[in-house]
């Protein structure tokens, strides 16, 4: 490449030493074939998004803001049609007042469950924040308080579904099955869409009336298909993760069968009002444009994840998923076995950020956590985890979770900077020879 020298110069100015750059360039070279596959998925998903926008005749009139009740918000209503087309569902609810993934999941669950119903998770313990939504941990306003019971069947030790256990757990009152696609911040494997499809088919064979909901957080656009292509009645996610493309400043979505989505809308606003109200306050442009960018943003984040896995596996650290594994979400876990590793890694990610690069994250006690937590996020949108970010609890086995990256180059810089910080804290002494 004719500008290799310039590239080296600027990386040097950014504080990346030659050995780190050379090692990382070699890793990147080796990943080219996999990057090509990711680019192809992004290309396919990009066409899906453009087609959904064209089919729904998206126009600049849809970028206008509404206020107050938000009646006849054409932009909002059309955006929901676009999501429904994209995910091949009857309907969708895409709103700034679904304030997070947890909120969207809470709305979807509480709208579609009634006292006496049972909720079943056939894939083990759900995401932390859902423990209080469900009432696994006592909490005011939980589903449990409203008389909704909960059962859980764990995955088998090899990560597979415990079909016998699931069959035994399905009872007449089982009304809704919740399937979390991403491992989130646990060590179980992330499920592929195909696996989710098999699980849904199994549940529906036992009782076709059971509602199958998928927590789709971190999974959107990683594959060419989504769980609604394989029988999910509802998928739910956050717009400050994958489908917001980094541009949505807030929001969540629920897409699926019309009855499910309508019920969610009555829960979100009020019975009788549903989808008809809810001003978009000028956020529509960011939602459309973010969705438009999402397939390539997700590909960048995926490249960053396999790059981090390869870089750290190459240095002898344990990484989940392993460097060579197929990807079904954008999260990468790296285990350092030493608190200094988690801290240095997060400080490297922070130092590589376009925003707040000059601050140094430190571990801190946080509500809801049993150990201090360190978080790196130099993000344009607070808490956005489609932007390059990393966090980890300061407790054994000292694992850091890394995700996001609006561009692949930024993710690459973040990983290289993390190596610099690890070196500075003396943690790579032995691995250095391999560099
Ligand atoms: C992030 C996430 C959630 C919750 O989303 P928030 O926006 O943080 O409330 C739920 N489930 C999974 C799998 C997630 O990754």
């Amino acid at each position: 490449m004719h500008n290799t020298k310039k590239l080296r110069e600027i990386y040097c100015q950014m504080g990346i030493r030659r050995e780190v750059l050379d090692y990382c360039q070699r890793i990147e070279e080796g990943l080219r074939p996999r990057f090509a596959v990711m680019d192809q998925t992004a290309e396919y998903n990009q066409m899906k998004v453009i087609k959904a926008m064209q089919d729904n005749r998206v126009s600049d009139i849809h970028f206008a803001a509404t206020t107050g009740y938000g009646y006849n918000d054409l932009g909002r209503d059309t955006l929901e049609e676009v999501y429904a087309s994209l995910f091949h569902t009857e309907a969708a609810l895409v709103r700034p007042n679904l304030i997070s993934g947890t909120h969207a999941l809470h709305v979807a669950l509480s709208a579609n469950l009634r006292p006496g119903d049972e909720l079943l998770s056939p894939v083990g313990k759900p995401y932390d924040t859902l423990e209080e939504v469900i009432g696994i941990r006592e909490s005011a306003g939980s589903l449990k308080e409203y008389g909704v019971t909960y059962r859980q069947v764990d995955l088998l030790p090899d990560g597979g579904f415990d079909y016998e256990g699931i069959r035994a757990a399905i009872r007449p009152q089982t009304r809704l099955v919740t399937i979390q696609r991403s491992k989130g911040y646990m060590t179980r494997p992330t499920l592929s869409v195909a696996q989710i499809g098999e699980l849904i088919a199994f549940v529906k064979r036992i009782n076709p009336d059971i509602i199958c909901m998928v927590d789709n957080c971190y999974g959107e656009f990683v594959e060419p298909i989504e769980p609604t292509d394989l029988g999910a009645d509802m998928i739910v996610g956050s717009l400050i993760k994958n489908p917001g493309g980094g541009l949505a400043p807030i929001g969540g979505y629920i897409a699926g069968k019309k009855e499910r989505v309508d019920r969610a809308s009555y829960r979100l606003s009020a019975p009788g009002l549903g989808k008809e109200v809810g001003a978009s306050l000028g956020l529509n442009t960011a939602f459309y444009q973010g969705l438009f960018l999402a397939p390539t943003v997700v590909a960048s984040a995926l490249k960053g994840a396999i790059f981090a896995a390869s870089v750290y596996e190459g240095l002898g650290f344990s990484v989940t998923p392993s460097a060579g594994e197929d990807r079904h979400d954008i999260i990468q876990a790296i285990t350092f076995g030493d608190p200094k590793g988690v801290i240095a890694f997060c400080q490297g990610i922070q130092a590589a950020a376009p925003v707040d690069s000059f601050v140094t994250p430190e571990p801190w006690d946080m509500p809801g956590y049993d150990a201090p937590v360190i978080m790196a996020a130099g993000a344009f949108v607070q808490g956005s985890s489609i932007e390059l970010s990393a966090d980890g609890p300061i407790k054994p086995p000292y694992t850091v979770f890394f995700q996001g990256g609006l561009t692949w180059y930024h993710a690459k810089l973040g990983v290289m900077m993390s190596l610099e910080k690890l070196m500075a804290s003396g943690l790579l002494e032995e691995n250095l020879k391999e560099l």
Side-chain angles (χ1 to χ4, degrees):
M1 184 172 69
H2 73 281
N3 56 356
T4 304
K5 186 155 165 282
K6 288 203 92 49
L7 196 57
R8 282 190 172 281
E9 272 167 25
I10 196 154
Y11 276 130
C12 178
Q13 286 164 24
M14 311 261 324
I16 305 299
R17 76 191 73 184
R18 195 187 185 97
E19 294 87 333
V20 166
L21 183 59
D22 287 343
Y23 172 65
C24 287
Q25 297 290 54
R26 277 203 309 280
I27 296 279
E28 183 182 345
E29 277 312 308
L31 291 172
R32 291 274 170 221
R34 293 185 65 203
F35 280 14
V37 174
M38 289 169 176
D39 285 335
Q40 201 175 43
T41 303
E43 184 175 354
Y44 178 79
N45 283 324
Q46 181 76 81
M47 294 310 117
K48 253 174 48 175
V49 169
I50 294 174
K51 185 167 190 306
M53 291 190 179
Q54 291 181 348
D55 288 350
N56 289 285
R57 301 175 65 86
V58 171
S59 170
D60 64 357
I61 195 179
H62 297 132
F63 305 145
T66 56
T67 55
Y69 293 119
Y71 291 131
N72 302 314
D73 186 324
L74 271 184
R76 175 198 68 204
D77 294 348
T78 304
L79 180 69
E80 292 180 338
E81 294 296 326
V82 168
Y83 265 72
S85 299
L86 176 66
F87 291 139
H88 307 128
T89 59
E90 292 171 5
L93 191 64
V94 186
R95 301 286 168 130
N97 46 349
L98 287 169
I99 58 174
S100 66
T102 304
H103 184 212
L105 287 159
H106 170 62
V107 168
L109 288 170
S110 54
N112 286 289
L113 288 161
R114 292 292 173 270
D117 286 347
E118 189 155 270
L119 168 67
L120 171 68
S121 170
V123 297
K125 189 179 91 60
Y127 197 74
D128 262 9
T129 54
L130 287 188
E131 290 188 13
E132 285 176 284
V133 167
I134 295 168
I136 301 170
R137 268 187 284 149
E138 287 301 324
S139 184
S142 68
L143 290 170
K144 188 178 169 195
E145 266 196 1
Y146 285 87
V148 174
T149 55
Y150 171 73
R151 280 187 162 225
Q152 172 179 317
V153 178
D154 290 335
L155 294 172
L156 295 170
D158 69 356
F161 301 126
D162 176 4
Y163 283 118
E164 279 323 299
I166 296 167
R167 186 191 301 281
I170 292 178
R171 308 194 288 170
Q173 63 268 44
T174 306
R175 179 74 182 126
L176 195 151
V177 162
T178 179
I179 302 167
Q180 184 179 311
R181 178 169 171 183
S182 166
K183 65 182 171 304
Y185 302 115
M186 302 209 301
T187 47
R188 69 136 164 112
T190 286
L191 305 173
S192 69
V193 176
Q195 285 174 302
I196 291 172
E198 280 167 30
L199 181 55
I200 291 171
F202 178 81
V203 169
K204 296 273 185 188
R205 275 197 299 275
I206 297 171
N207 179 356
D209 294 333
I210 291 176
I211 303 160
C212 291
M213 181 189 91
V214 175
D215 172 353
N216 214 23
C217 284
Y218 286 133
E220 299 91 349
F221 302 125
V222 172
E223 298 185 39
I225 55 170
E226 300 291 337
T228 40
D229 293 314
L230 297 181
D233 298 300
M234 253 193 304
I235 52 175
V236 182
S238 162
L239 298 194
I240 62 166
K241 293 181 180 171
N242 305 14
L247 294 189
I250 191 171
Y253 77 88
I254 299 168
K257 295 267 166 62
K258 185 171 183 308
E259 190 192 344
R260 301 296 137 227
V261 172
D262 282 348
R263 281 180 183 271
S265 75
Y266 293 125
R267 182 75 191 195
L268 178 64
S269 60
L273 300 183
K275 295 177 82 176
E276 304 297 315
V277 295
S280 54
L281 303 173
L283 292 169
N284 283 337
T285 312
F287 289 170
Y288 281 103
Q289 205 173 354
L291 180 65
F292 176 72
L293 292 181
T296 46
V297 168
V298 170
S300 299
L302 277 174
K303 289 175 187 175
I306 62 167
F307 178 68
S310 305
V311 161
Y312 278 95
E313 198 173 86
L315 292 171
F317 294 97
S318 140
V319 299
T320 317
S322 63
E325 256 175 77
D326 281 342
R327 296 286 152 155
H328 304 293
D329 69 10
I330 63 169
I331 302 178
Q332 181 62 47
I334 304 162
T335 297
F336 289 101
D338 183 330
K340 280 198 295 184
V342 175
I343 295 168
F345 185 92
C346 289
Q347 292 181 342
I349 298 302
Q350 188 76 39
V355 179
D356 288 335
S357 61
F358 49 87
V359 307
T360 305
E362 299 284 352
W364 207 256
D365 283 317
M366 304 234 318
Y369 292 87
D370 56 0
V373 178
I374 183 166
M375 296 189 170
F380 295 99
V381 172
Q382 188 197 101
S384 167
S385 48
I386 187 61
E387 296 187 52
L388 194 69
S389 47
D391 42 81
I394 304 300
K395 65 176 183 188
Y398 302 106
T399 297
V400 77
F401 296 91
F402 163 84
Q403 67 272 314
L406 298 188
T407 73
W408 145 243
Y409 307 116
H410 179 213
K412 177 178 172 181
L413 176 67
V415 173
M416 291 198 290
M417 199 62 92
S418 73
L419 287 181
E420 287 291 337
K421 297 287 179 192
L422 280 153
M423 284 180 158
S425 56
L427 276 169
L428 285 181
E429 309 270 280
E430 280 142 54
N431 323 65
L432 256 178
K433 292 164 212 107
E434 291 158 54
L435 278 183

